[in-house]
Amino acid sequence: MTLERFIHEEERMYPRATGAFSGLLHDLSLAAKLVWREVSKAGLVNILGATDRMNVSGDLVKKLDEFADETIYRAMDHGGHLCLMASEENEDVLHIPDNYPTGKYVLLYDPLDGSSNIDANITIGSIFSVFKRTTESGKGTLADCLQPGVRQVAAGYIIYGSSTIFVYTTGNGVHGFTYDPTVGEFLLSHENIRIPKRGKIYSVNEGNYANWGEGIKKYVGYLKESDASTGRPYSLRYIGTMVGDAHRTLLYGGIFMYPGDRKNPEGKLRLMYECNPLSFIFEHAGGRGSNGKQRILEIQPKSLHERTPLFLGSEEDVKICEEFLQGNR
Ligand code: FBP
């Protein structure tokens, strides 16, 4: 079962479908193959290291980041499915070139997640989020992007690890397709992924501990206590690439966190490019995505690059974490 065929079989479930959505997902899978090709030979070609360009978050843009950003934009700009795009690497929205038709969807993407791990050949990823436009027609506007995550019509990520997997949902279950370079196709390998109700692994950068608030300190302390009936103490795993830490959490259960702290009250992760799409995927796999107070998907975005604390994982684990964060435990 190739990703291509799966997309078309899903389309048949919607008698009034125009094929635009399938076309959009097809173009995304092509972009993923092009990025995979560059990632897989990164050590051999001059694509490691940084450009001399700073992104909107003040980070030096990595060459592979820039390559992935341009590749995704060029793969998506001419299909006629999109009215607008926005990328984590670009301050402003990305318009569809005048010589191409516009469509009814909006794409937001993080071209390469885990940029601090690129040069060390550690798992990295790409993340995407798709909405239907809210404006009538023609070129899209910022308003088309700033929609609460619950309105996404699709979200996914591509993990470039020991193998490359395309994971996505359109609201009909979460499915994973592993790339087989010998046939050049993503093949169904993880159908209808369901996250365990509770796990035994927690994932957080404890290097920020000194700046943490009492709630998160107490919660992590709770995970380290011994209590076999609740699988504690939990094991700590942290790759430093959200896609990698989230993918493991989706399959094994537990919790991935990037809390706010005294230095960064809103944490580090971006609502539109990272937290919304991953929370949409986790919720459709039976998990939960929270900022500690509410569902990530209920947050009304105010700006393209806003950040939010994130607590993502098995439903029971995230709910217990919220109780600690809200001082109820
Ligand atoms: P990029 O998208 O710029 O890579 O930043 C996000 C990220 O790398 C996440 O993938 C990861 O979870 C987090 O930052 C790691 O941050 P830290 O190094 O502070 O733990």
Side-chain angles (χ1 to χ4, degrees), residues 28-36 39 64-65 67-69 71-72 88 107-115 118 123-129 155-161 164-168 186 241-244 246-247 273-274 277-278 281:
L28 269 171
S29 70
L30 171 63
K33 293 174 188 176
L34 294 169
V35 175
W36 163 84
V39 166
L64 209 45
D65 234 331
F67 172 84
D69 191 31
T71 300
I72 295 172
E88 187 205 62
L107 175 73
L108 297 104
Y109 62 95
D110 177 356
L112 217 59
D113 175 55
S115 39
I118 294 173
T123 295
I124 49 181
S126 301
I127 311 173
F128 65 88
S129 166
Y157 58 81
I158 301 99
I159 179 167
Y160 311 102
T164 289
I165 308 179
F166 188 111
V167 175
Y168 84 109
F186 284 103
T241 291
M242 177 190 190
V243 165
H247 185 67
Y273 308 102
E274 293 160 326
L278 269 294
I281 292 164

Side-chain angles (χ1 to χ4, degrees), residues 140-180:
T141 69
L142 183 58
D144 290 306
C145 292
L146 298 183
Q147 303 184 51
V150 75
R151 287 217 208 116
Q152 290 171 98
V153 290
Y157 58 81
I158 301 99
I159 179 167
Y160 311 102
S162 44
S163 60
T164 289
I165 308 179
F166 188 111
V167 175
Y168 84 109
T169 184
T170 59
N172 304 313
V174 175
H175 313 285
F177 300 77
T178 300
Y179 188 55
D180 180 342

